Amino acid sequence: MFVSKDFTFDSAHFLTKYHGKCENLHGHTYKLRVTVEGPVGEDGMVIDFKELKALVKDKVIDRYDHQNLNDFFENPSAELVVMKIWEDLALELPVKLYEITLWETAESFVTYRGN
């Protein structure tokens, strides 16, 4: 069974290894989808949405919302940000982290499965 929860956060960044508009400071309303995988437990759930929400809020949203991502990453591309989010969540979850998708815009996103 797969369980997903969506989140949003607002952050600024500039790409230090890119030549074009995105090398200038700009912001995004990021959309983050965290998907976990596991069996349905005796309580009828894979994971309580409340538990998933609290963990993502603590490890991701509270850290990056309304921040400049360059304070955390040398070159905060969506790919590098999603890999760090994976690293921060994978060991904390009581079930297997299956996939993370991070949208920079409604049409542009990356998906990561830990490999």
Side-chain angles (χ1 to χ4, degrees), residues 93-108:
L93 285 162
V95 293
K96 180 182 177 199
L97 183 55
Y98 174 75
E99 178 177 274
I100 298 177
T101 301
L102 181 67
W103 284 261
E104 275 195 352
T105 70
E107 301 86 21
S108 301

Side-chain angles (χ1 to χ4, degrees), residues 4-96:
S4 299
K5 185 149 182 66
D6 289 348
F7 304 86
T8 60
F9 61 97
D10 297 297
S11 297
H13 75 150
F14 57 93
L15 298 178
T16 59
K17 298 182 180 184
Y18 181 84
H19 300 291
K21 288 175 122 180
C22 293
E23 68 184 313
N24 299 314
L25 182 64
H26 62 284
H28 297 285
T29 296
Y30 289 90
K31 177 180 173 184
L32 174 69
R33 176 170 294 151
V34 176
T35 302
V36 298
E37 177 182 17
V40 177
E42 290 183 17
D43 61 358
M45 296 183 278
V46 173
I47 188 172
D48 186 334
F49 284 117
K50 183 178 175 181
E51 182 180 1
L52 182 57
K53 178 181 177 180
L55 180 62
V56 173
K57 181 179 182 310
D58 179 56
K59 297 293 181 182
V60 180
I61 307 304
D62 289 348
R63 181 178 298 164
Y64 300 129
D65 189 41
H66 285 81
Q67 300 295 318
N68 181 343
L69 295 178
N70 292 81
D71 293 341
F72 302 93
F73 303 88
E74 177 188 341
N75 183 43
S77 66
E79 293 88 343
L80 295 176
V81 173
V82 82
M83 289 171 66
K84 175 64 172 149
I85 292 171
W86 180 281
E87 180 183 305
D88 291 343
L89 293 177
L91 296 176
E92 300 288 330
L93 285 162
V95 293
K96 180 182 177 199

